[in-house]
């Protein structure tokens, strides 16, 4: 069960999709919700010197703190209005420091909720998502920045490729899957299966043994553009929620997002739970 949830509050948009969605999840599970808001420290170009730099830093810092406090005020007021057990905190940090901090803090919660990075948002949102995914050891629920509705899980899509990450995501999402009216296990492949093969049948049987109503769907995509194939099918099927493994690869001892994960995060249309 999800009983302790953390959400990264949105400080650079008029609508906090992550906070609203996290509140709906916390209410559904009668969970405690913690909201953290980051006031980002300015990064001043090396070509800016003297009093100009001091003035720029002071102005930027004041604007960021004002936005962070506004996000907390909205969160506190909304959680109080709905009678939710909640707490909030403000942290001042650079975008990179904020991401690492959020990843560490999320380790102490059952679920981390973050907003998708909108094109006009300040830099740092992608870093928050990556840190939550790769550093927390916990499932991460990414909410589209256009999201307006609260938690809805009538029809859930499980993206399955037989990997460790996909298996972890299924296990982490079980509290949500048990509430779904229908669960569709989707496999994206580059070619049709042999007549005697039924890829995904094992995981479908596993979920059915948990009392879930499961459908199995294999999608053949010659281009194997996994992200677009998944999102296109989600739109056609009326999917409310996606569950998938969050993938990355090592680069200079760091984990960076894999292609499919990056594609989903860039163009996502429904809330998505990812695990690594």
């Amino acid at each position: 069960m999800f009983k302790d949830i953390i959400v990264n509050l949105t400080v650079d948009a008029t609508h906090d999709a992550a906070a609203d969605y996290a509140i709906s999840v916390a209410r559904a599970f009668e969970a405690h919700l913690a909201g953290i808001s980051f006031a980002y420290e300015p990064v001043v170009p090396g070509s800016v010197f003297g009093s100009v730099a001091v003035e720029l830093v002071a102005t930027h810092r004041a604007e960021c703190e004002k936005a962070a406090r506004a996000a907390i005020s909205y969160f506190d007021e909304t959680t109080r209005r709905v009678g939710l057990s909640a707490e909030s905190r403000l942290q001042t940090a650079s975008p990179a420091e904020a991401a690492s901090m959020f990843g560490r803090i999320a380790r102490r919660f059952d679920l981390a909720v973050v907003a998708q990075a909108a094109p006009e948002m300040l830099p740092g949102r992608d870093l928050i998502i990556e840190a939550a995914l790769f550093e927390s050891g916990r499932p991460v629920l990414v909410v589209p920045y256009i999201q307006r509705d609260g938690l809805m899980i009538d029809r859930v899509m499980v993206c399955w490729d037989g990997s460790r990450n996909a298996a972890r995501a299924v296990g982490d999402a079980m509290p949500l899957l048990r509430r779904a009216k229908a669960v569709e296990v989707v496999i994206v492949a580059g070619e049709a299966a042999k007549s005697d093969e039924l890829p995904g049948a094992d995981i479908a049987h596993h979920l059915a043994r948990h009392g879930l109503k499961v459908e199995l769907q294999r999608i053949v995509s010659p281009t194997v553009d996994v992200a677009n194939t998944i999102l296109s099918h989600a739109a056609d099927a009326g999917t409310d929620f996606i569950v998938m493994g969050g993938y990355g690869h090592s680069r200079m001892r760091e984990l960076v997002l894999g292609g499919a994960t990056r594609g989903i995060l860039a163009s996502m249309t429904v809330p998505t739970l990812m695990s690594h």
Side-chain angles (χ1 to χ4, degrees):
M1 296 293 290
F2 299 135
K3 287 300 180 182
D4 211 8
I5 301 171
I6 186 169
V7 56
N8 178 42
L9 303 178
T10 304
V11 300
D12 45 8
T14 56
H15 167 60
D16 195 338
D20 289 343
Y21 198 84
I23 288 170
S24 73
V25 175
R27 294 184 72 188
F29 288 93
E30 299 181 349
H32 177 80
L33 181 62
I36 184 166
S37 182
F38 289 104
Y40 290 119
E41 286 283 5
V43 179
V44 181
S47 58
V48 180
F49 299 100
S51 60
V52 175
V54 173
E55 184 177 345
L56 283 174
V57 168
T59 301
H60 182 88
R61 181 179 288 122
E63 291 176 349
C64 287
E65 184 169 338
K66 180 180 178 181
R69 292 193 181 281
I72 285 179
S73 294
Y74 173 80
F75 175 81
D76 289 344
E77 179 183 346
T78 305
T79 53
R80 184 167 51 248
R81 187 174 65 248
V82 301
L84 189 66
S85 172
E87 62 179 297
S88 61
R89 61 190 287 190
L90 184 148
Q91 291 285 343
T92 300
S94 69
E97 290 170 340
S100 182
M101 187 182 301
F102 186 78
R104 292 195 305 270
I105 293 172
R107 294 171 188 169
R108 304 192 294 272
F109 292 83
D110 298 321
L111 177 70
V113 182
V114 297
Q116 174 198 24
E120 69 276 9
M121 283 184 176
L122 295 171
R125 184 75 57 191
D126 285 333
L127 295 177
I128 290 277
I129 295 173
E130 290 187 38
L133 185 60
F134 296 139
E135 296 181 21
S136 72
R138 297 292 190 168
V140 181
L141 202 172
V142 186
V143 183
Y145 64 83
I146 60 171
Q147 185 75 21
R148 293 288 176 177
D149 297 328
L151 179 66
M152 185 179 297
I153 46 176
D154 288 349
R155 188 170 184 83
V156 178
M157 178 196 298
V158 172
C159 302
W160 183 253
D161 61 1
S163 68
R164 171 199 174 280
N165 291 345
R168 176 70 182 271
V170 168
D172 287 341
M174 197 60 74
L176 291 159
L177 296 178
R178 288 195 182 100
R179 292 171 177 245
K181 293 182 180 178
V183 175
E184 184 181 34
V185 176
V186 172
I187 299 167
V188 179
E191 58 183 19
K194 298 178 181 179
S195 58
D196 59 344
E197 289 182 348
L198 189 56
D202 288 345
I203 191 64
H205 291 155
H206 168 71
L207 293 174
R209 292 185 187 106
H210 279 270
L212 307 183
K213 183 180 179 181
V214 184
E215 304 169 19
L216 182 58
Q217 177 72 41
R218 180 183 173 92
I219 303 174
V220 178
S221 174
T223 61
V224 197
D225 186 340
V226 177
N228 283 334
T229 300
I230 289 172
L231 293 175
S232 178
H233 182 73
D236 292 341
T239 300
D240 301 311
F241 196 94
I242 294 175
V243 174
M244 63 179 289
Y247 299 90
H249 58 269
S250 179
R251 185 185 67 186
M252 298 297 291
R253 300 176 67 181
E254 293 183 40
L255 277 173
V256 296
L257 295 173
T261 305
R262 188 169 55 249
I264 292 290
L265 292 174
S267 307
M268 65 190 309
T269 51
V270 296
T272 301
L273 184 144
M274 294 183 174
S275 296
H276 176 73

